[in-house]
Every structure is written in structure tokens, then in C-alpha cells.
Amino acid sequence: MAITGRTVLAAFAGALVVLAAGSLGAWTAWAVLGVLALLIAVDLALAPSARRVSFERSGETGIRLGESAEVELVVANPSGRRLRGVLRDAWAPSSGARPGRHRLAVPAGERRRLGTVLTPVRRGDHRAAGVTVRSVGPLGLAARQATHEVPWTVRVLPPFHSRRHLPGKLARLRELDGRHSALVRGQGSEFDSLREYVPGDDVRSIDWRATARRDGVVVRTWRPERDRRILIVLDTGRTSAGRVGDTPRLDHAMDAALLLAALAAKAGDRVDLLAFDRRVRTQVRSSGRGSAVPAIVQAMAPLEAELVESDHAGLVASILSGQGRARRLVVLLTDLNASAMEEGLLPVLPALTSRHLVMVAAVGDPAVTAMAAERGDAPAVHRAAAAARTLGERRRVTAELRRHGVEVVDADPEHIAPALADAYIDLKAQGRL
């Protein structure tokens, strides 16, 4: 039995009767209280059972972070009495569900459809916590209450803010591929076509046999090789949990990874994903039948940073054990933390670079750069000294990685995604991929 507002008022009225019992007489007071108790019991008996109410869900199951989804709940009243009361469709606070409560008025044997709008503030799977129904009697003095499990899950995908850079990067790819009006000669090994020489063309691209058969000079155009293998590795260890601005470093890395994956798929390359800290958190392997980007987006959605030190030896072993011995571009999105790199990645890096082309991409914190420029009072100078030391260690780690033949992309959150895409295109243009 649930207490309603009218029950409280009735109890208050009963208390006043008891207080006035001296003037009305004890029998009169007890009679009034008995009537109130009887009314409450009758009201409770007439209230439809909250346990017999049935539900069905429908609606959206996947959205991007920042968007809203509507989930509908169909309430069926199988009883022979009108169902009146309140319904609460409970979700986690991060789901941003509204409205929190719904007024119920379902005639006997009928159904009603209720809508809840979710505006989540976090990635991942958001699950319904339960539906609580309070069935109020016709007098409003008593109610029956029950909670039902009505499962539903809405997966919130990464927002992919860097999508806006994709058209420009694709235009650069078309230039390499010989399909754009501003043709350039890449160093890929796949011959594409012949065209007339224009000033600025590399003289090494002149096809002398074709030139001898024509009146003008003819050059060959090339396109970068296709069907190369790209492995994007997300470090989900403790360093990825650090926030850059208001967003975890892992989320910035995901955004850059999505732009690279979409670009590489358009270039005809096969893209795989691996998320790792001390074990494999998720893995997507391209089958070669269409783009793997949708599967990568789905796999990224529930990923969270783990507060553990990443096992770089295990990571390298996992990379080397997968997809045979074919040479790949391995793109590791991590942090250029000096201690983590020097104790973890650098000792095992030669085993990886001997087999694959390796690129390390890291999200820099613009607040540290701004802090290094502070001056004025003693605290500002101390902050500047600490920031300068951090930046110096970052440059030292970058130099050490490059000494091992690793390509390094280090940029702030606003520029990491396009910078990583440009580095990939440059490798294509140089014929290294």
C-alpha cells in the first residue's frame, strides 16, 4: 500500500477528531476514525492492481553523443477498472531522461502510449532502470505500487566532431589518386593513366615511349596502392583517463581515430581496431567486404579508460600475433607521458618497428602550453617551470620515438584529428603505405 496526499489529509483530520474527543465523546471519535479507516480500505480494494499492468517498449536504440532519442512505453490495463495514478520510467541520471514522471489515466482493457526523451551526457550503453506504477483508488486515499523490469538499451556513440574535416581530406586523396583536376604524382606503385606534361610535373614521370608516339610530352600518373592494412590502437590505460579541457583524452583519441578510419576506408585500405590496456578491451577486424567504420563506431561506444598501467609488452605481442605477418601501418593513440613511454613502450618498440610501420598520435594539453608562458608572481613562475619541464620531456620522448623510425603526431584536441589524417595522406604520397 502506498500513501497518497489525501491519506495524509485524512489522517490529519482524524487527529483533530481525537483531540476534540473530550467535547464530542470517545465513542464519536472512534466512530469517525473507523469510518476513515473503512474508506481507506475500500479505496485500496478498488484500486486496480499495479502488478498486473503490462508494458511494451519501442523507439531508438542508438544515437550520437549530443543528440536526443525518444523511447516509447505502451501501458496496458488488463483489469476491469480504470487505472489512475503516476508512472515513473527510471533511467540513470546521465541519460538525461525527461519527463521523470507521467500521469496515468488508462480505461479498463485499454492501452496508452507514453514517451520519454533521452539526452545522454556520456557515451556507452544507457539501460532502463525500471518502471514504477502507483495505482490510486477512486477516492484518492490509498494506492497500490509495484516496480516492473522493462528492459531497453540506448547505445550512445562517439560524436565524431572531426567529420567536418573529411571532405577536405578526401579532396587531397583524390589529388593523389589522379581523379582531381590538380593532378600530382604520388610515389605509389600502381600505374593509373597517361596525360600531357604541364610545368611543375616531376620529369621522372615522363613516359618517353608514349612521348615518341605523340607530338607533345606525356607523363604517367600514379595512384597510391590500395588495400593496405591499417591497425588503429587505442590505449585505454590510466593516461587516457586524464581530461584535456572538459573531455577525457580517450574521447579526443576516438574522434581522431574515426576520421582516420573513414579516410582510410575511402582510400580503399582495410582498417582494424584494437583497444588495449592490460588486456584487449575490444577488437574489430576488417573482413574486406565493405567499410569497417560502422563496426568501429559501435565498438568504441562502451569503451572507458581503465585506471591501470598499460602493458605495452602485451600490446606489442597482441599486435604481432594478429593478421599474419603482413606489413601494416600501426597507429597508436596514447599519451607522450615520459615515464610510461620510457618504462613501457620504448623497450619493446624495436620488435614492432621491425615488422610494421608505426605512428604514435598524442593529444597535447593547450593549458600546459599556456601555463609555460605565465609570468608575474612567484606561483606563476613555479607553474611555468613545471609546464616547461613537462613540455621538455614530451619533446624528448618524441625525439626518441623518431629515432626508432616512428612517425609522431602531437597536437591539441582541436587539431589532432586533421593532423593525423594529414600524416596518413603524406605516407600515401611518399609511397610508404
Side-chain angles (χ1 to χ4, degrees):
M1 172 180 171
I3 297 175
T4 68
R6 293 187 182 183
T7 306
V8 174
L9 290 176
F12 180 71
L16 292 179
V17 170
V18 172
L19 291 176
S23 58
L24 296 175
W27 289 108
T28 304
W30 283 111
V32 172
L33 291 177
V35 171
L36 288 176
L38 179 62
L39 290 175
I40 292 173
V42 171
D43 200 38
L44 181 63
L46 293 177
S49 172
R51 296 186 181 278
R52 293 184 58 196
V53 180
S54 61
F55 304 91
E56 292 180 8
R57 283 198 188 273
S58 63
E60 297 178 72
T61 58
I63 57 171
R64 292 196 178 275
L65 186 63
E67 298 176 352
S68 295
E70 184 173 3
V71 177
E72 293 186 336
L73 183 69
V74 176
V75 183
N77 176 18
S79 70
R81 295 187 293 272
R82 183 181 182 85
L83 173 64
R84 297 188 305 113
V86 180
L87 179 146
R88 180 174 183 262
D89 189 3
W91 295 76
S94 61
S95 299
R98 65 181 194 278
R101 287 175 171 79
H102 302 267
R103 287 287 176 184
L104 279 180
V106 186
E110 295 191 14
R111 298 150 60 97
R112 290 293 183 268
R113 190 181 301 272
L114 306 175
T116 299
V117 177
L118 307 180
T119 309
V121 295
R122 294 181 59 183
R123 282 185 298 101
D125 291 336
H126 293 252
R127 296 179 175 86
V131 176
T132 300
V133 177
R134 176 174 291 184
S135 172
V136 180
L139 299 178
L141 296 176
R144 301 177 182 222
Q145 183 168 303
T147 299
H148 301 257
E149 294 294 330
V150 189
W152 193 262
T153 301
V154 176
R155 172 159 287 192
V156 182
L157 307 174
F160 198 6
H161 296 304
S162 61
R163 183 197 298 269
R164 66 185 186 276
H165 298 291
L166 188 57
K169 305 309 175 187
L170 288 175
R172 284 197 63 193
L173 272 180
R174 285 193 294 270
E175 291 178 1
L176 294 180
D177 207 19
R179 294 196 299 266
H180 194 274
S181 59
L183 290 170
V184 298
R185 182 185 186 274
Q187 301 299 315
S189 61
E190 294 188 18
F191 171 71
D192 187 40
S193 61
L194 296 172
R195 62 169 175 80
E196 292 187 3
Y197 174 86
V198 296
D201 282 337
D202 191 338
V203 294
R204 293 174 296 179
S205 64
I206 296 175
D207 187 315
W208 296 108
R209 290 187 178 181
T211 298
R213 296 192 298 268
R214 301 190 183 186
D215 295 334
V217 179
V218 177
V219 296
R220 291 185 176 190
T221 62
W222 305 77
R223 67 180 181 186
E225 294 184 26
R226 293 173 175 269
D227 204 29
R228 303 294 91 186
R229 299 206 69 99
I230 316 294
L231 174 62
I232 300 175
V233 181
L234 290 174
D235 181 355
T236 55
R238 66 169 183 85
T239 58
S240 66
R243 302 185 79 85
V244 182
D246 295 328
T247 305
R249 181 173 275 108
L250 178 60
D251 288 57
H252 292 303
M254 286 182 181
D255 192 53
L258 286 175
L259 180 62
L260 175 61
L263 186 63
K266 291 290 187 181
D269 291 332
R270 300 173 65 180
V271 186
D272 302 331
L273 173 72
L274 175 67
F276 194 96
D277 40 71
R278 300 199 70 83
R279 63 179 178 86
V280 175
R281 296 293 173 178
T282 192
Q283 191 168 18
V284 176
R285 291 181 175 175
S286 174
S287 63
R289 298 187 298 271
S291 173
V293 176
I296 289 175
V297 174
Q298 291 289 335
M300 283 182 177
L303 283 177
E304 296 292 344
E306 302 291 331
L307 299 181
V308 296
E309 198 70 45
S310 294
D311 177 13
H312 290 94
L315 170 61
V316 171
S318 180
I319 294 173
L320 294 179
S321 65
Q323 299 294 327
R325 301 183 62 85
R327 183 174 175 81
R328 293 185 287 180
L329 170 63
V330 177
V331 181
L332 173 59
L333 290 117
T334 184
D335 183 34
L336 295 178
N337 181 279
S339 61
M341 285 288 178
E342 292 171 349
E343 298 174 11
L345 182 62
L346 288 175
V348 297
L349 193 56
L352 189 59
T353 54
S354 64
R355 293 265 302 276
H356 302 293
L357 176 60
V358 180
M359 180 183 295
V360 171
V363 180
D365 192 343
V368 176
T369 305
M371 193 182 298
E374 288 187 10
R375 298 294 185 270
D377 53 12
V381 172
H382 283 101
R383 289 195 298 270
R389 179 179 178 180
T390 299
L391 294 175
E393 291 178 345
R394 200 174 184 91
R395 288 191 292 269
R396 176 167 53 81
V397 169
T398 298
E400 187 67 17
L401 288 171
R402 286 175 174 155
R403 190 177 69 82
H404 283 80
V406 176
E407 299 290 327
V408 180
V409 178
D410 185 12
D412 59 47
E414 183 67 24
H415 300 97
I416 182 64
L420 181 59
D422 286 338
Y424 163 79
I425 295 173
D426 290 341
L427 291 177
K428 283 279 192 184
Q430 296 164 18
R432 298 175 60 190
L433 180 61

